[in-house]
Amino acid sequence: MNRKPKIVILGAGYGGMMTANRLKKANAYQDADITLVNKHNYHYQTTWLHEPAAGTLHHDRTRMKIDSVIDTNKIRFIKEAVVKINKEEKKVVLEKSELDYDYLVIGLGSEPETFGIPGVKEHAFSIRSVNSVRLIREHIEYMFANYNKQEEKQEDLLTFVVAGAGFTGIEFVGELTERIPELCEEYDIDRKKVKIYSVEAAPTALPGFDEELVEYAMNHLESKGVQFKINTPIKEVQDGVVLLADGEEIKSQTIVWTTGIRGSSIVDDAGFETMRGRVKVEKDLRAPGHDDVFIIGDCALIINDEIDRPYPPTAQIAIQQAYTCAKNLKALITGKTELEEFKPDIKGTVASLGGKEAIGLVGDKKIYGHSASTVKKLIDNRYLYMLGGMPLVLKKGKLNLF
């Protein structure tokens, strides 16, 4: 009797979860042994993390137990951290065990990109996991609670610096503008004492986004107290201070780093040819020279030929990659050799600005305000529906659309 091929999926982010989901729906478990590996026993929505970081959403709303959405009788789940990939021996080293594979799917997610700026790792928070955002929320609340205890009021306790005005930075700043008035009321602090800085090295906030939408976003956030420092690189982060390239110093006890991401260092260490931890994959999502390794999500580099630049590593693309990856794995384990090419289908992009405000581009149409916020929630709910059907939407979805 022939041995079933072994498929190992590393990471339960958008790409890994949806690949496992699609393989199950395609009954691939009948033809292969499928294992999903993740360091936590839950999957979380990365695109929601800015909300619990600011304290406008409980962190448990962003996560769901893996065994509640994946049938672990058909797809084996191992809760362990990945330590190393040995692609020559076709093995994955975990914290407490090893796995061998016939086909490997790498969806290990990302790490914050510091661009080598001194002090970032030591003195800045990052929005990267459920635990990291819980720490940010608790720290922000502690700053407010501690302010009135000081005989000499320390203004840096109420000064918040968000490094990076890309999607994550702007969305987090938007949520801060919603949360801070509540904290000011709770701790009896004048809102005017609180300062929020959004610092961006590029010439514009939301680089690459439509200019009119960017202007709308900045005007809205400025009206709620955000001070933008655009085209202003950060030179260094020290304990309690941000040093800007123009010589200015901002004293702050809360520095949140959102300047971008790089792929997992495990992919670098595995010996793949990478660019900032990302592998330029073949059209079928396999790693060059490795027909048994698929790479998806934040670790995959895909060039947009129209502008000769990489597509940003978004949840939308990771989910689409998962569909293609699962189809190709199903083809391989059933003896087919023709694989499907991955072609991104960017349906739109929406950024929340806090509360019921957002901006977006859906097709060629620009959307603003409440209507954009509604579209954002519909997009979030659609993913939940794809993953776990209406029960998951009702349990975890954003049902207050208007």
Side-chain angles (χ1 to χ4, degrees), residues 216 355-358 368-377 401-402:
Y216 179 94
K356 294 185 177 180
E357 282 285 333
Y368 306 81
H370 289 196
S371 59
S373 178
T374 299
V375 170
K376 173 81 169 173
K377 291 173 184 175
L401 297 180
F402 303 102

Side-chain angles (χ1 to χ4, degrees), residues 14 44-64 127 129-130 133 168 171-172 175 315 352 376-384 392-393 395-399:
Y14 291 102
Y44 60 89
Q45 297 223 62
T46 313
T47 56
W48 288 15
L49 288 180
H50 58 282
E51 296 178 61
T56 56
L57 183 75
H58 195 278
H59 58 268
D60 280 339
R61 283 286 304 281
T62 70
R63 63 179 174 177
M64 60 210 74
I127 298 174
S129 66
V130 170
V133 299
T168 301
E171 291 192 317
F172 175 59
E175 294 303 316
S352 65
K376 173 81 169 173
K377 291 173 184 175
L378 288 171
I379 292 169
D380 293 339
N381 289 344
R382 179 175 179 269
Y383 168 68
L384 293 173
L392 188 58
V393 175
K395 185 176 181 181
K396 295 288 184 179
K398 296 182 176 179
L399 304 180

Side-chain angles (χ1 to χ4, degrees), residues 299-313:
C299 296
L301 182 69
I302 296 174
I303 302 297
N304 183 340
D305 293 328
E306 292 182 8
I307 59 174
D308 196 30
R309 291 185 61 184
Y311 282 98

Side-chain angles (χ1 to χ4, degrees), residues 153-172:
K153 302 300 189 209
Q154 294 177 255
E155 299 306 322
D156 58 342
L157 294 177
L158 300 181
T159 299
F160 302 91
V161 177
V162 180
F167 263 70
T168 301
I170 288 295
E171 291 192 317
F172 175 59

Side-chain angles (χ1 to χ4, degrees), residues 263-275:
S264 170
S265 57
I266 292 171
V267 177
D268 279 325
D269 295 341
F272 294 101
E273 186 175 338
T274 63
M275 181 186 301

Side-chain angles (χ1 to χ4, degrees), residues 253-300:
Q253 294 297 324
T254 310
I255 302 156
V256 181
W257 200 259
T258 70
T259 63
I261 59 172
R262 56 176 292 115
S264 170
S265 57
I266 292 171
V267 177
D268 279 325
D269 295 341
F272 294 101
E273 186 175 338
T274 63
M275 181 186 301
R276 290 173 57 189
R278 303 173 70 194
V279 177
K280 187 178 179 182
V281 294
E282 303 287 2
K283 293 186 183 297
D284 57 15
L285 298 177
R286 289 190 286 189
H290 298 277
D291 289 346
D292 54 354
V293 179
F294 290 83
I295 302 181
I296 59 177
D298 295 335
C299 296

Side-chain angles (χ1 to χ4, degrees), residues 53 125 132-146 156-157 159-160 252-256:
F125 296 94
S132 73
V133 299
R134 186 160 45 188
L135 184 62
I136 294 170
R137 186 203 73 230
E138 291 173 353
H139 172 83
I140 290 171
E141 291 178 1
Y142 178 73
M143 292 298 98
F144 276 85
N146 203 38
D156 58 342
L157 294 177
T159 299
F160 302 91
S252 170
Q253 294 297 324
T254 310
I255 302 156
V256 181

Side-chain angles (χ1 to χ4, degrees), residues 145-383:
N146 203 38
Y147 180 75
N148 280 332
K149 291 182 180 179
Q150 308 295 324
E151 288 187 15
E152 278 190 35
K153 302 300 189 209
Q154 294 177 255
E155 299 306 322
D156 58 342
L157 294 177
L158 300 181
T159 299
F160 302 91
V161 177
V162 180
F167 263 70
T168 301
I170 288 295
E171 291 192 317
F172 175 59
V173 163
E175 294 303 316
L176 270 184
T177 65
E178 293 293 311
R179 179 67 173 138
I180 280 173
E182 298 175 357
L183 290 170
C184 286
E185 184 174 351
E186 182 177 349
Y187 292 100
D188 194 25
I189 293 172
D190 184 350
R191 170 65 181 85
K192 293 178 182 177
K193 293 186 180 296
V194 182
K195 296 179 182 177
I196 306 172
Y197 290 98
S198 174
V199 184
E200 172 58 54
T204 177
L206 295 168
F209 214 52
D210 179 88
E211 288 184 14
E212 286 184 24
L213 294 173
V214 173
E215 184 179 4
Y216 179 94
M218 291 182 68
N219 287 341
H220 172 75
L221 293 173
E222 283 175 338
S223 74
K224 302 195 80 174
V226 178
Q227 298 181 52
F228 284 95
K229 290 187 175 293
I230 304 299
N231 205 16
T232 308
I234 292 174
K235 184 172 69 174
E236 185 178 351
V237 179
Q238 297 178 356
D239 185 13
V241 64
V242 177
L243 308 181
L244 305 182
D246 62 7
E248 183 182 356
E249 298 183 4
I250 304 175
K251 292 183 179 179
S252 170
Q253 294 297 324
T254 310
I255 302 156
V256 181
W257 200 259
T258 70
T259 63
I261 59 172
R262 56 176 292 115
S264 170
S265 57
I266 292 171
V267 177
D268 279 325
D269 295 341
F272 294 101
E273 186 175 338
T274 63
M275 181 186 301
R276 290 173 57 189
R278 303 173 70 194
V279 177
K280 187 178 179 182
V281 294
E282 303 287 2
K283 293 186 183 297
D284 57 15
L285 298 177
R286 289 190 286 189
H290 298 277
D291 289 346
D292 54 354
V293 179
F294 290 83
I295 302 181
I296 59 177
D298 295 335
C299 296
L301 182 69
I302 296 174
I303 302 297
N304 183 340
D305 293 328
E306 292 182 8
I307 59 174
D308 196 30
R309 291 185 61 184
Y311 282 98
T314 62
Q316 179 179 183
I317 286 183
I319 293 164
Q320 292 178 11
Q321 288 172 337
Y323 273 65
T324 300
C325 180
K327 284 181 183 177
N328 287 341
L329 285 166
K330 175 70 174 179
L332 289 169
I333 62 176
T334 53
K336 297 174 184 175
T337 55
E338 189 129 351
L339 301 188
E340 182 178 289
E341 291 186 4
F342 174 67
K343 295 178 181 178
D345 179 19
I346 308 303
K347 300 181 184 300
T349 309
V350 184
S352 65
L353 303 176
K356 294 185 177 180
E357 282 285 333
I359 54 169
L361 196 63
V362 178
D364 295 326
K365 185 179 179 182
K366 301 172 189 178
I367 53 176
Y368 306 81
H370 289 196
S371 59
S373 178
T374 299
V375 170
K376 173 81 169 173
K377 291 173 184 175
L378 288 171
I379 292 169
D380 293 339
N381 289 344
R382 179 175 179 269
Y383 168 68

